[in-house]
PDB file of all heavy atoms in Angstrom:
ATOM      1  N   LEU A   1       1.954   6.908  14.508  1.00 95.00           N
ATOM      2  CA  LEU A   1       1.992   7.992  13.502  1.00 95.00           C
ATOM      3  C   LEU A   1       0.887   9.034  13.830  1.00 95.00           C
ATOM      4  O   LEU A   1       1.076  10.252  13.655  1.00 95.00           O
ATOM      5  CB  LEU A   1       1.844   7.470  12.106  1.00 95.00           C
ATOM      6  CG  LEU A   1       2.956   6.578  11.616  1.00 95.00           C
ATOM      7  CD1 LEU A   1       2.652   6.041  10.225  1.00 95.00           C
ATOM      8  CD2 LEU A   1       4.282   7.340  11.605  1.00 95.00           C
ATOM      9  N   LYS A   2      -0.273   8.544  14.303  1.00 96.00           N
ATOM     10  CA  LYS A   2      -1.338   9.441  14.717  1.00 96.00           C
ATOM     11  C   LYS A   2      -0.919  10.242  15.931  1.00 96.00           C
ATOM     12  O   LYS A   2      -1.175  11.475  16.012  1.00 96.00           O
ATOM     13  CB  LYS A   2      -2.593   8.644  14.966  1.00 96.00           C
ATOM     14  CG  LYS A   2      -3.759   9.460  15.557  1.00 96.00           C
ATOM     15  CD  LYS A   2      -4.269  10.535  14.569  1.00 96.00           C
ATOM     16  CE  LYS A   2      -5.475  11.226  15.111  1.00 96.00           C
ATOM     17  NZ  LYS A   2      -5.965  12.270  14.140  1.00 96.00           N
ATOM     18  N   GLU A   3      -0.315   9.588  16.905  1.00 95.00           N
ATOM     19  CA  GLU A   3       0.038  10.258  18.140  1.00 95.00           C
ATOM     20  C   GLU A   3       1.061  11.387  17.950  1.00 95.00           C
ATOM     21  O   GLU A   3       1.041  12.386  18.655  1.00 95.00           O
ATOM     22  CB  GLU A   3       0.596   9.213  19.132  1.00 95.00           C
ATOM     23  CG  GLU A   3      -0.441   8.257  19.725  1.00 95.00           C
ATOM     24  CD  GLU A   3      -1.423   9.021  20.617  1.00 95.00           C
ATOM     25  OE1 GLU A   3      -0.967   9.652  21.589  1.00 95.00           O
ATOM     26  OE2 GLU A   3      -2.633   8.975  20.301  1.00 95.00           O
ATOM     27  N   ILE A   4       1.946  11.242  16.981  1.00 94.00           N
ATOM     28  CA  ILE A   4       2.984  12.251  16.776  1.00 94.00           C
ATOM     29  C   ILE A   4       2.454  13.417  15.945  1.00 94.00           C
ATOM     30  O   ILE A   4       3.196  14.433  15.754  1.00 94.00           O
ATOM     31  CB  ILE A   4       4.264  11.659  16.133  1.00 94.00           C
ATOM     32  CG1 ILE A   4       3.971  11.171  14.684  1.00 94.00           C
ATOM     33  CG2 ILE A   4       4.791  10.543  16.985  1.00 94.00           C
ATOM     34  CD1 ILE A   4       5.178  10.613  14.041  1.00 94.00           C
ATOM     35  N   GLY A   5       1.238  13.346  15.408  1.00 93.00           N
ATOM     36  CA  GLY A   5       0.672  14.462  14.696  1.00 93.00           C
ATOM     37  C   GLY A   5       1.017  14.523  13.224  1.00 93.00           C
ATOM     38  O   GLY A   5       1.044  15.595  12.605  1.00 93.00           O
ATOM     39  N   LEU A   6       1.245  13.339  12.647  1.00 92.00           N
ATOM     40  CA  LEU A   6       1.502  13.278  11.195  1.00 92.00           C
ATOM     41  C   LEU A   6       0.336  13.868  10.410  1.00 92.00           C
ATOM     42  O   LEU A   6      -0.812  13.556  10.699  1.00 92.00           O
ATOM     43  CB  LEU A   6       1.756  11.830  10.777  1.00 92.00           C
ATOM     44  CG  LEU A   6       2.576  11.582   9.538  1.00 92.00           C
ATOM     45  CD1 LEU A   6       4.041  11.941   9.737  1.00 92.00           C
ATOM     46  CD2 LEU A   6       2.471  10.155   9.113  1.00 92.00           C
ATOM     47  N   SER A   7       0.628  14.672   9.413  1.00 89.00           N
ATOM     48  CA  SER A   7      -0.428  15.325   8.660  1.00 89.00           C
ATOM     49  C   SER A   7      -1.067  14.442   7.578  1.00 89.00           C
ATOM     50  O   SER A   7      -2.230  14.564   7.302  1.00 89.00           O
ATOM     51  CB  SER A   7       0.114  16.608   7.967  1.00 89.00           C
ATOM     52  OG  SER A   7       0.527  17.557   8.940  1.00 89.00           O
ATOM     53  N   TYR A   8      -0.259  13.553   6.990  1.00 94.00           N
ATOM     54  CA  TYR A   8      -0.725  12.794   5.839  1.00 94.00           C
ATOM     55  C   TYR A   8       0.184  11.625   5.568  1.00 94.00           C
ATOM     56  O   TYR A   8       1.360  11.700   5.766  1.00 94.00           O
ATOM     57  CB  TYR A   8      -0.773  13.704   4.624  1.00 94.00           C
ATOM     58  CG  TYR A   8      -1.193  13.035   3.298  1.00 94.00           C
ATOM     59  CD1 TYR A   8      -2.498  12.626   3.079  1.00 94.00           C
ATOM     60  CD2 TYR A   8      -0.245  12.825   2.323  1.00 94.00           C
ATOM     61  CE1 TYR A   8      -2.855  11.999   1.888  1.00 94.00           C
ATOM     62  CE2 TYR A   8      -0.598  12.212   1.094  1.00 94.00           C
ATOM     63  CZ  TYR A   8      -1.920  11.776   0.914  1.00 94.00           C
ATOM     64  OH  TYR A   8      -2.258  11.169  -0.229  1.00 94.00           O
ATOM     65  N   VAL A   9      -0.425  10.515   5.116  1.00 96.00           N
ATOM     66  CA  VAL A   9       0.322   9.338   4.676  1.00 96.00           C
ATOM     67  C   VAL A   9      -0.072   9.051   3.229  1.00 96.00           C
ATOM     68  O   VAL A   9      -1.215   8.828   2.937  1.00 96.00           O
ATOM     69  CB  VAL A   9       0.014   8.127   5.552  1.00 96.00           C
ATOM     70  CG1 VAL A   9       0.689   6.889   4.972  1.00 96.00           C
ATOM     71  CG2 VAL A   9       0.443   8.386   6.993  1.00 96.00           C
ATOM     72  N   GLY A  10       0.916   9.082   2.313  1.00 96.00           N
ATOM     73  CA  GLY A  10       0.697   8.759   0.945  1.00 96.00           C
ATOM     74  C   GLY A  10       1.218   7.355   0.632  1.00 96.00           C
ATOM     75  O   GLY A  10       2.425   7.090   0.880  1.00 96.00           O
ATOM     76  N   ILE A  11       0.320   6.474   0.215  1.00 96.00           N
ATOM     77  CA  ILE A  11       0.689   5.045   0.017  1.00 96.00           C
ATOM     78  C   ILE A  11       0.660   4.759  -1.462  1.00 96.00           C
ATOM     79  O   ILE A  11      -0.277   5.022  -2.194  1.00 96.00           O
ATOM     80  CB  ILE A  11      -0.302   4.116   0.774  1.00 96.00           C
ATOM     81  CG1 ILE A  11      -0.101   4.325   2.278  1.00 96.00           C
ATOM     82  CG2 ILE A  11      -0.094   2.664   0.403  1.00 96.00           C
ATOM     83  CD1 ILE A  11      -1.009   3.434   3.162  1.00 96.00           C
ATOM     84  N   SER A  12       1.771   4.167  -1.915  1.00 94.00           N
ATOM     85  CA  SER A  12       1.943   3.923  -3.365  1.00 94.00           C
ATOM     86  C   SER A  12       1.237   2.624  -3.764  1.00 94.00           C
ATOM     87  O   SER A  12       1.484   1.545  -3.210  1.00 94.00           O
ATOM     88  CB  SER A  12       3.439   3.817  -3.687  1.00 94.00           C
ATOM     89  OG  SER A  12       4.085   5.036  -3.432  1.00 94.00           O
ATOM     90  N   LEU A  13       0.401   2.719  -4.748  1.00 95.00           N
ATOM     91  CA  LEU A  13      -0.229   1.592  -5.462  1.00 95.00           C
ATOM     92  C   LEU A  13      -0.159   1.882  -6.959  1.00 95.00           C
ATOM     93  O   LEU A  13      -0.510   2.985  -7.378  1.00 95.00           O
ATOM     94  CB  LEU A  13      -1.693   1.420  -5.053  1.00 95.00           C
ATOM     95  CG  LEU A  13      -2.066   0.747  -3.759  1.00 95.00           C
ATOM     96  CD1 LEU A  13      -3.566   0.635  -3.581  1.00 95.00           C
ATOM     97  CD2 LEU A  13      -1.417  -0.644  -3.669  1.00 95.00           C
ATOM     98  N   ASP A  14       0.330   0.979  -7.719  1.00 93.00           N
ATOM     99  CA  ASP A  14       0.462   1.154  -9.164  1.00 93.00           C
ATOM    100  C   ASP A  14      -0.452   0.306  -9.984  1.00 93.00           C
ATOM    101  O   ASP A  14      -0.163  -0.091 -11.107  1.00 93.00           O
ATOM    102  CB  ASP A  14       1.938   0.935  -9.561  1.00 93.00           C
ATOM    103  CG  ASP A  14       2.777   2.081  -9.063  1.00 93.00           C
ATOM    104  OD1 ASP A  14       2.503   3.219  -9.390  1.00 93.00           O
ATOM    105  OD2 ASP A  14       3.785   1.773  -8.307  1.00 93.00           O
ATOM    106  N   GLY A  15      -1.649  -0.017  -9.403  1.00 94.00           N
ATOM    107  CA  GLY A  15      -2.624  -0.799 -10.075  1.00 94.00           C
ATOM    108  C   GLY A  15      -3.305  -1.711  -9.078  1.00 94.00           C
ATOM    109  O   GLY A  15      -3.056  -1.662  -7.886  1.00 94.00           O
ATOM    110  N   MET A  16      -4.198  -2.560  -9.621  1.00 96.00           N
ATOM    111  CA  MET A  16      -4.811  -3.507  -8.766  1.00 96.00           C
ATOM    112  C   MET A  16      -3.801  -4.668  -8.532  1.00 96.00           C
ATOM    113  O   MET A  16      -2.624  -4.578  -8.933  1.00 96.00           O
ATOM    114  CB  MET A  16      -6.113  -4.003  -9.393  1.00 96.00           C
ATOM    115  CG  MET A  16      -7.064  -2.868  -9.735  1.00 96.00           C
ATOM    116  SD  MET A  16      -7.313  -1.686  -8.347  1.00 96.00           S
ATOM    117  CE  MET A  16      -8.291  -2.676  -7.249  1.00 96.00           C
ATOM    118  N   GLU A  17      -4.249  -5.758  -7.878  1.00 95.00           N
ATOM    119  CA  GLU A  17      -3.306  -6.681  -7.251  1.00 95.00           C
ATOM    120  C   GLU A  17      -2.235  -7.206  -8.193  1.00 95.00           C
ATOM    121  O   GLU A  17      -1.031  -7.108  -7.866  1.00 95.00           O
ATOM    122  CB  GLU A  17      -4.049  -7.839  -6.614  1.00 95.00           C
ATOM    123  CG  GLU A  17      -3.187  -8.788  -5.800  1.00 95.00           C
ATOM    124  CD  GLU A  17      -3.949  -9.716  -4.951  1.00 95.00           C
ATOM    125  OE1 GLU A  17      -5.220  -9.731  -5.035  1.00 95.00           O
ATOM    126  OE2 GLU A  17      -3.310 -10.467  -4.140  1.00 95.00           O
ATOM    127  N   ALA A  18      -2.613  -7.789  -9.284  1.00 95.00           N
ATOM    128  CA  ALA A  18      -1.643  -8.434 -10.160  1.00 95.00           C
ATOM    129  C   ALA A  18      -0.621  -7.455 -10.732  1.00 95.00           C
ATOM    130  O   ALA A  18       0.598  -7.681 -10.711  1.00 95.00           O
ATOM    131  CB  ALA A  18      -2.327  -9.154 -11.330  1.00 95.00           C
ATOM    132  N   VAL A  19      -1.109  -6.315 -11.207  1.00 94.00           N
ATOM    133  CA  VAL A  19      -0.217  -5.297 -11.794  1.00 94.00           C
ATOM    134  C   VAL A  19       0.634  -4.640 -10.721  1.00 94.00           C
ATOM    135  O   VAL A  19       1.870  -4.482 -10.902  1.00 94.00           O
ATOM    136  CB  VAL A  19      -1.047  -4.254 -12.562  1.00 94.00           C
ATOM    137  CG1 VAL A  19      -0.143  -3.074 -13.039  1.00 94.00           C
ATOM    138  CG2 VAL A  19      -1.724  -4.889 -13.769  1.00 94.00           C
ATOM    139  N   ASN A  20       0.042  -4.305  -9.590  1.00 93.00           N
ATOM    140  CA  ASN A  20       0.793  -3.648  -8.529  1.00 93.00           C
ATOM    141  C   ASN A  20       1.947  -4.595  -8.068  1.00 93.00           C
ATOM    142  O   ASN A  20       3.063  -4.133  -7.878  1.00 93.00           O
ATOM    143  CB  ASN A  20      -0.131  -3.314  -7.358  1.00 93.00           C
ATOM    144  CG  ASN A  20       0.634  -2.714  -6.190  1.00 93.00           C
ATOM    145  OD1 ASN A  20       0.957  -1.511  -6.234  1.00 93.00           O
ATOM    146  ND2 ASN A  20       0.959  -3.470  -5.155  1.00 93.00           N
ATOM    147  N   ASP A  21       1.619  -5.839  -7.790  1.00 93.00           N
ATOM    148  CA  ASP A  21       2.682  -6.704  -7.261  1.00 93.00           C
ATOM    149  C   ASP A  21       3.759  -6.985  -8.280  1.00 93.00           C
ATOM    150  O   ASP A  21       4.944  -7.185  -7.908  1.00 93.00           O
ATOM    151  CB  ASP A  21       2.022  -8.042  -6.800  1.00 93.00           C
ATOM    152  CG  ASP A  21       1.205  -7.886  -5.549  1.00 93.00           C
ATOM    153  OD1 ASP A  21       1.107  -6.740  -5.031  1.00 93.00           O
ATOM    154  OD2 ASP A  21       0.677  -8.892  -5.084  1.00 93.00           O
ATOM    155  N   ARG A  22       3.420  -6.923  -9.579  1.00 89.00           N
ATOM    156  CA  ARG A  22       4.458  -7.002 -10.581  1.00 89.00           C
ATOM    157  C   ARG A  22       5.398  -5.802 -10.486  1.00 89.00           C
ATOM    158  O   ARG A  22       6.613  -5.924 -10.557  1.00 89.00           O
ATOM    159  CB  ARG A  22       3.840  -7.100 -11.978  1.00 89.00           C
ATOM    160  CG  ARG A  22       4.860  -7.091 -13.102  1.00 89.00           C
ATOM    161  CD  ARG A  22       4.194  -6.981 -14.477  1.00 89.00           C
ATOM    162  NE  ARG A  22       5.181  -6.820 -15.537  1.00 89.00           N
ATOM    163  CZ  ARG A  22       4.878  -6.435 -16.752  1.00 89.00           C
ATOM    164  NH1 ARG A  22       3.584  -6.146 -17.086  1.00 89.00           N
ATOM    165  NH2 ARG A  22       5.795  -6.333 -17.672  1.00 89.00           N
ATOM    166  N   PHE A  23       4.799  -4.605 -10.346  1.00 85.00           N
ATOM    167  CA  PHE A  23       5.617  -3.401 -10.233  1.00 85.00           C
ATOM    168  C   PHE A  23       6.450  -3.382  -8.976  1.00 85.00           C
ATOM    169  O   PHE A  23       7.536  -2.903  -8.920  1.00 85.00           O
ATOM    170  CB  PHE A  23       4.691  -2.183 -10.246  1.00 85.00           C
ATOM    171  CG  PHE A  23       4.572  -1.537 -11.581  1.00 85.00           C
ATOM    172  CD1 PHE A  23       3.741  -2.111 -12.543  1.00 85.00           C
ATOM    173  CD2 PHE A  23       5.313  -0.453 -11.944  1.00 85.00           C
ATOM    174  CE1 PHE A  23       3.598  -1.532 -13.780  1.00 85.00           C
ATOM    175  CE2 PHE A  23       5.208   0.130 -13.189  1.00 85.00           C
ATOM    176  CZ  PHE A  23       4.368  -0.420 -14.121  1.00 85.00           C
ATOM    177  N   ARG A  24       5.850  -3.850  -7.876  1.00 83.00           N
ATOM    178  CA  ARG A  24       6.505  -3.799  -6.565  1.00 83.00           C
ATOM    179  C   ARG A  24       7.491  -4.898  -6.343  1.00 83.00           C
ATOM    180  O   ARG A  24       8.286  -4.831  -5.405  1.00 83.00           O
ATOM    181  CB  ARG A  24       5.409  -3.825  -5.458  1.00 83.00           C
ATOM    182  CG  ARG A  24       4.446  -2.664  -5.524  1.00 83.00           C
ATOM    183  CD  ARG A  24       5.055  -1.386  -5.011  1.00 83.00           C
ATOM    184  NE  ARG A  24       4.490  -0.200  -5.682  1.00 83.00           N
ATOM    185  CZ  ARG A  24       4.931   1.014  -5.528  1.00 83.00           C
ATOM    186  NH1 ARG A  24       6.002   1.245  -4.791  1.00 83.00           N
ATOM    187  NH2 ARG A  24       4.360   2.034  -6.119  1.00 83.00           N
ATOM    188  N   GLY A  25       7.439  -5.916  -7.206  1.00 85.00           N
ATOM    189  CA  GLY A  25       8.463  -6.984  -7.153  1.00 85.00           C
ATOM    190  C   GLY A  25       8.335  -7.963  -6.038  1.00 85.00           C
ATOM    191  O   GLY A  25       9.205  -8.827  -5.834  1.00 85.00           O
ATOM    192  N   VAL A  26       7.198  -7.896  -5.289  1.00 89.00           N
ATOM    193  CA  VAL A  26       6.983  -8.785  -4.131  1.00 89.00           C
ATOM    194  C   VAL A  26       5.521  -9.237  -4.116  1.00 89.00           C
ATOM    195  O   VAL A  26       4.627  -8.365  -3.973  1.00 89.00           O
ATOM    196  CB  VAL A  26       7.350  -8.128  -2.776  1.00 89.00           C
ATOM    197  CG1 VAL A  26       7.023  -9.065  -1.613  1.00 89.00           C
ATOM    198  CG2 VAL A  26       8.868  -7.767  -2.762  1.00 89.00           C
ATOM    199  N   PRO A  27       5.248 -10.529  -4.224  1.00 94.00           N
ATOM    200  CA  PRO A  27       3.848 -10.970  -4.102  1.00 94.00           C
ATOM    201  C   PRO A  27       3.259 -10.618  -2.761  1.00 94.00           C
ATOM    202  O   PRO A  27       3.951 -10.666  -1.710  1.00 94.00           O
ATOM    203  CB  PRO A  27       3.949 -12.497  -4.258  1.00 94.00           C
ATOM    204  CG  PRO A  27       5.265 -12.708  -5.028  1.00 94.00           C
ATOM    205  CD  PRO A  27       6.150 -11.637  -4.518  1.00 94.00           C
ATOM    206  N   GLY A  28       1.968 -10.200  -2.725  1.00 95.00           N
ATOM    207  CA  GLY A  28       1.311  -9.862  -1.531  1.00 95.00           C
ATOM    208  C   GLY A  28       1.421  -8.388  -1.153  1.00 95.00           C
ATOM    209  O   GLY A  28       0.829  -7.932  -0.177  1.00 95.00           O
ATOM    210  N   ALA A  29       2.205  -7.601  -1.906  1.00 94.00           N
ATOM    211  CA  ALA A  29       2.400  -6.200  -1.624  1.00 94.00           C
ATOM    212  C   ALA A  29       1.102  -5.412  -1.642  1.00 94.00           C
ATOM    213  O   ALA A  29       0.859  -4.537  -0.842  1.00 94.00           O
ATOM    214  CB  ALA A  29       3.437  -5.575  -2.570  1.00 94.00           C
ATOM    215  N   PHE A  30       0.244  -5.759  -2.604  1.00 96.00           N
ATOM    216  CA  PHE A  30      -1.054  -5.045  -2.757  1.00 96.00           C
ATOM    217  C   PHE A  30      -1.914  -5.235  -1.505  1.00 96.00           C
ATOM    218  O   PHE A  30      -2.424  -4.281  -0.911  1.00 96.00           O
ATOM    219  CB  PHE A  30      -1.791  -5.561  -3.977  1.00 96.00           C
ATOM    220  CG  PHE A  30      -3.136  -4.908  -4.216  1.00 96.00           C
ATOM    221  CD1 PHE A  30      -3.224  -3.668  -4.825  1.00 96.00           C
ATOM    222  CD2 PHE A  30      -4.293  -5.570  -3.841  1.00 96.00           C
ATOM    223  CE1 PHE A  30      -4.451  -3.093  -5.051  1.00 96.00           C
ATOM    224  CE2 PHE A  30      -5.527  -4.979  -4.077  1.00 96.00           C
ATOM    225  CZ  PHE A  30      -5.655  -3.745  -4.674  1.00 96.00           C
ATOM    226  N   ARG A  31      -2.080  -6.489  -1.065  1.00 97.00           N
ATOM    227  CA  ARG A  31      -2.939  -6.767   0.062  1.00 97.00           C
ATOM    228  C   ARG A  31      -2.391  -6.139   1.348  1.00 97.00           C
ATOM    229  O   ARG A  31      -3.131  -5.619   2.189  1.00 97.00           O
ATOM    230  CB  ARG A  31      -3.149  -8.246   0.233  1.00 97.00           C
ATOM    231  CG  ARG A  31      -3.869  -8.874  -0.943  1.00 97.00           C
ATOM    232  CD  ARG A  31      -4.177 -10.339  -0.678  1.00 97.00           C
ATOM    233  NE  ARG A  31      -4.910 -10.943  -1.821  1.00 97.00           N
ATOM    234  CZ  ARG A  31      -5.396 -12.157  -1.852  1.00 97.00           C
ATOM    235  NH1 ARG A  31      -5.297 -12.936  -0.768  1.00 97.00           N
ATOM    236  NH2 ARG A  31      -5.994 -12.588  -2.960  1.00 97.00           N
ATOM    237  N   ARG A  32      -1.070  -6.165   1.494  1.00 96.00           N
ATOM    238  CA  ARG A  32      -0.453  -5.560   2.690  1.00 96.00           C
ATOM    239  C   ARG A  32      -0.609  -4.058   2.642  1.00 96.00           C
ATOM    240  O   ARG A  32      -0.737  -3.405   3.698  1.00 96.00           O
ATOM    241  CB  ARG A  32       1.008  -5.984   2.786  1.00 96.00           C
ATOM    242  CG  ARG A  32       1.176  -7.466   3.129  1.00 96.00           C
ATOM    243  CD  ARG A  32       2.622  -7.896   2.929  1.00 96.00           C
ATOM    244  NE  ARG A  32       3.516  -7.186   3.850  1.00 96.00           N
ATOM    245  CZ  ARG A  32       4.816  -7.246   3.738  1.00 96.00           C
ATOM    246  NH1 ARG A  32       5.402  -7.926   2.738  1.00 96.00           N
ATOM    247  NH2 ARG A  32       5.606  -6.599   4.619  1.00 96.00           N
ATOM    248  N   ALA A  33      -0.550  -3.465   1.473  1.00 96.00           N
ATOM    249  CA  ALA A  33      -0.741  -2.015   1.366  1.00 96.00           C
ATOM    250  C   ALA A  33      -2.172  -1.625   1.735  1.00 96.00           C
ATOM    251  O   ALA A  33      -2.404  -0.629   2.421  1.00 96.00           O
ATOM    252  CB  ALA A  33      -0.424  -1.527  -0.070  1.00 96.00           C
ATOM    253  N   LEU A  34      -3.145  -2.430   1.295  1.00 97.00           N
ATOM    254  CA  LEU A  34      -4.537  -2.155   1.703  1.00 97.00           C
ATOM    255  C   LEU A  34      -4.718  -2.277   3.185  1.00 97.00           C
ATOM    256  O   LEU A  34      -5.471  -1.521   3.811  1.00 97.00           O
ATOM    257  CB  LEU A  34      -5.497  -3.145   0.962  1.00 97.00           C
ATOM    258  CG  LEU A  34      -5.608  -2.983  -0.565  1.00 97.00           C
ATOM    259  CD1 LEU A  34      -6.815  -3.823  -1.047  1.00 97.00           C
ATOM    260  CD2 LEU A  34      -5.736  -1.570  -0.982  1.00 97.00           C
ATOM    261  N   GLU A  35      -4.005  -3.237   3.816  1.00 97.00           N
ATOM    262  CA  GLU A  35      -4.089  -3.336   5.277  1.00 97.00           C
ATOM    263  C   GLU A  35      -3.489  -2.081   5.910  1.00 97.00           C
ATOM    264  O   GLU A  35      -4.050  -1.562   6.922  1.00 97.00           O
ATOM    265  CB  GLU A  35      -3.304  -4.560   5.738  1.00 97.00           C
ATOM    266  CG  GLU A  35      -3.909  -5.914   5.402  1.00 97.00           C
ATOM    267  CD  GLU A  35      -3.032  -7.081   5.796  1.00 97.00           C
ATOM    268  OE1 GLU A  35      -2.025  -6.845   6.521  1.00 97.00           O
ATOM    269  OE2 GLU A  35      -3.328  -8.219   5.413  1.00 97.00           O
ATOM    270  N   GLY A  36      -2.452  -1.549   5.348  1.00 97.00           N
ATOM    271  CA  GLY A  36      -1.860  -0.302   5.869  1.00 97.00           C
ATOM    272  C   GLY A  36      -2.811   0.850   5.732  1.00 97.00           C
ATOM    273  O   GLY A  36      -2.918   1.678   6.637  1.00 97.00           O
ATOM    274  N   ILE A  37      -3.558   0.926   4.615  1.00 97.00           N
ATOM    275  CA  ILE A  37      -4.556   1.965   4.436  1.00 97.00           C
ATOM    276  C   ILE A  37      -5.644   1.843   5.488  1.00 97.00           C
ATOM    277  O   ILE A  37      -6.019   2.850   6.138  1.00 97.00           O
ATOM    278  CB  ILE A  37      -5.158   1.869   3.036  1.00 97.00           C
ATOM    279  CG1 ILE A  37      -4.153   2.246   1.952  1.00 97.00           C
ATOM    280  CG2 ILE A  37      -6.407   2.808   2.880  1.00 97.00           C
ATOM    281  CD1 ILE A  37      -4.559   1.915   0.555  1.00 97.00           C
ATOM    282  N   ARG A  38      -6.150   0.625   5.684  1.00 98.00           N
ATOM    283  CA  ARG A  38      -7.199   0.426   6.687  1.00 98.00           C
ATOM    284  C   ARG A  38      -6.699   0.759   8.093  1.00 98.00           C
ATOM    285  O   ARG A  38      -7.433   1.339   8.918  1.00 98.00           O
ATOM    286  CB  ARG A  38      -7.690  -1.004   6.664  1.00 98.00           C
ATOM    287  CG  ARG A  38      -8.379  -1.401   5.342  1.00 98.00           C
ATOM    288  CD  ARG A  38      -9.024  -2.742   5.418  1.00 98.00           C
ATOM    289  NE  ARG A  38      -9.591  -3.180   4.146  1.00 98.00           N
ATOM    290  CZ  ARG A  38      -8.972  -3.979   3.294  1.00 98.00           C
ATOM    291  NH1 ARG A  38      -7.768  -4.496   3.545  1.00 98.00           N
ATOM    292  NH2 ARG A  38      -9.543  -4.292   2.134  1.00 98.00           N
TER     293      ARG A  38
END
């Protein structure tokens, strides 16, 4: 994504771990999203 010149990545989080994963419907979604941010 960096190589192609992407301007911005917006990552959805709807709370901290417990609340976010409830919203996202998949356990571990919060931690994987943080990995994506890093």
